Amino acid sequence: MKWTYLIMVLLVFASCKPRKKKCSRGYDLDHPISVYPIKESYNIGDTIWFEMNFSDVLNVLVTNNYTGEKFNENIQLKNFDFRRTFLSFFELVDSSENVAGQSKSKWKESFDPIYETGNIIQELPDGPEYKLIYQNNAYLLKIGMVLKKSGVFLHCPIFLHSYPMAEGFLNEQDLTPECKTEIITDIRFPVNKQPNGSHLTNYHLFEQYMNPSIENDLDRIQKECFTFVVL
């Protein structure tokens, strides 16, 4: 009888012991961005605004890193640090090269920034590294660019999830209780996304000045970059 009681106690204790989390997930997020006023060409002295305002409840694409299964899920990220995010600008000067081969825009020579909302970490040759403001359960950014130089330009927000490579672990977060490893693997930046699913990005201008067939990620350029001409 004693042994039976002891075994029962041990079984109850074992069942109450916290189980080690085994789940591993990657998360792809959207940070919608509005670029306005939407025009094909601007004059020197005009201002273009780049603005984000989205909820802390995000519909994300989840990848099960063990099985490769993908599914969508709503998660809440309160006052979250998205690590390294940038507004980058390229001057499109050589249609024989893809975007990666274009000249950095010498951003401060081409634009005068207006920092209205957000924290600027540093100013780089191709644009600012920023942090979003978290306020009233929303993430906010608003930056204006006063145009100073004529040319054809491409604006592309960027998330560097593993730069420098040693800092890739910083994007590992504890998002859900059942997962041991959870990493923000990518952030997409849909520009001027419309209710019908289209994106007002002036992509036809990109086609006019560049060669889409040599691009490595044309879908991102079509949906997440904004092409504009300064006269």
Side-chain angles (χ1 to χ4, degrees), residues 162-215:
S162 58
Y163 175 79
M165 293 301 292
E167 294 184 2
F169 73 92
L170 291 175
N171 295 301
E172 183 173 340
Q173 305 294 330
D174 187 12
L175 302 178
T176 54
E178 69 271 17
C179 264
K180 178 182 179 182
T181 304
E182 297 181 289
I183 298 176
I184 305 296
T185 52
D186 197 9
I187 296 175
R188 311 292 296 215
F189 299 89
V191 170
N192 296 331
K193 187 173 182 179
Q194 303 301 294
N196 65 1
S198 64
H199 298 75
L200 301 182
T201 63
N202 281 343
Y203 174 68
H204 63 285
L205 291 178
F206 183 86
E207 290 181 307
Q208 179 180 334
Y209 289 98
M210 301 298 290
N211 181 3
S213 67
I214 62 176
E215 295 300 332

Side-chain angles (χ1 to χ4, degrees), residues 94-192:
D94 185 355
S95 62
S96 68
E97 297 278 350
N98 62 17
V99 168
Q102 299 304 303
S103 169
K104 298 292 186 180
S105 68
K106 295 182 180 177
W107 173 70
K108 290 301 288 285
E109 295 179 16
S110 303
F111 316 104
D112 275 334
I114 303 171
Y115 297 127
E116 185 164 311
T117 306
N119 294 321
I120 303 305
I121 306 303
Q122 61 177 328
E123 294 180 329
L124 299 170
D126 59 335
E129 179 178 1
Y130 65 87
K131 293 288 186 184
L132 297 161
I133 293 292
Y134 182 68
Q135 183 177 300
N136 298 324
N137 297 105
Y139 291 97
L140 309 173
L141 180 78
K142 187 175 182 181
I143 295 176
M145 299 293 180
V146 181
L147 309 177
K148 295 168 57 177
K149 177 185 175 183
S150 297
V152 182
F153 297 92
L154 184 72
H155 154 68
C156 291
I158 296 174
F159 166 62
L160 295 184
H161 65 285
S162 58
Y163 175 79
M165 293 301 292
E167 294 184 2
F169 73 92
L170 291 175
N171 295 301
E172 183 173 340
Q173 305 294 330
D174 187 12
L175 302 178
T176 54
E178 69 271 17
C179 264
K180 178 182 179 182
T181 304
E182 297 181 289
I183 298 176
I184 305 296
T185 52
D186 197 9
I187 296 175
R188 311 292 296 215
F189 299 89
V191 170
N192 296 331

Side-chain angles (χ1 to χ4, degrees), residues 26-49:
Y27 295 85
D28 291 0
L29 291 67
D30 279 355
H31 285 188
I33 180 167
S34 297
V35 182
Y36 59 90
I38 303 171
K39 297 165 64 176
E40 292 187 359
S41 62
Y42 304 81
N43 296 313
I44 290 176
D46 288 348
T47 301
I48 304 179
W49 290 96

